[in-house]
């Protein structure tokens, strides 16, 4: 369909390189869109931890909500 002289020309090589790079970029973007979102803040230390508990059970372990047995 296309003459061999066109396929071996410089501008066709540049066009083919552009199409290849463009295709690779779209493949990478499509793969990134399918992956779950990662939030950087999830991996950084949190600065909003309380210095003391505000539970109704002051002697409670964190996360249990019940007082520790003495």
């Amino acid at each position: 369909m296309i003459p061999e002289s066109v396929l071996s020309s410089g501008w066709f090589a540049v066009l083919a390189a552009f199409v290849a790079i463009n295709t690779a970029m779209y493949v990478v973007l499509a793969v990134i869109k399918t992956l779950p979102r990662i939030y950087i803040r999830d991996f950084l230390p949190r600065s909003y931890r309380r210095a003391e508990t505000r539970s109704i059970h002051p002697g409670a372990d964190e996360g249990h909500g019940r007082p520790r047995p003495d």
Side-chain angles (χ1 to χ4, degrees):
M1 289 196 333
I2 299 174
E4 187 177 339
S5 62
V6 173
L7 294 176
S8 62
S9 64
W11 66 268
F12 192 81
V14 170
L15 179 65
F18 174 76
V19 170
I21 292 170
N22 195 20
T23 303
M25 285 182 8
Y26 273 100
V27 167
V28 168
L29 289 174
V31 168
I32 288 173
K33 287 284 267 187
T34 60
L35 296 175
R37 187 162 292 231
I38 297 173
Y39 296 100
I40 304 295
R41 298 286 295 160
D42 291 343
F43 299 105
L44 297 176
R46 299 171 197 251
S47 61
Y48 58 84
R49 296 206 177 197
R50 297 191 185 272
E52 57 188 44
T53 182
R54 294 187 60 191
S55 172
I56 60 171
H57 305 290
D61 289 330
E62 289 185 28
H64 292 298
R66 297 179 300 215
R68 282 184 274 171
D70 291 329

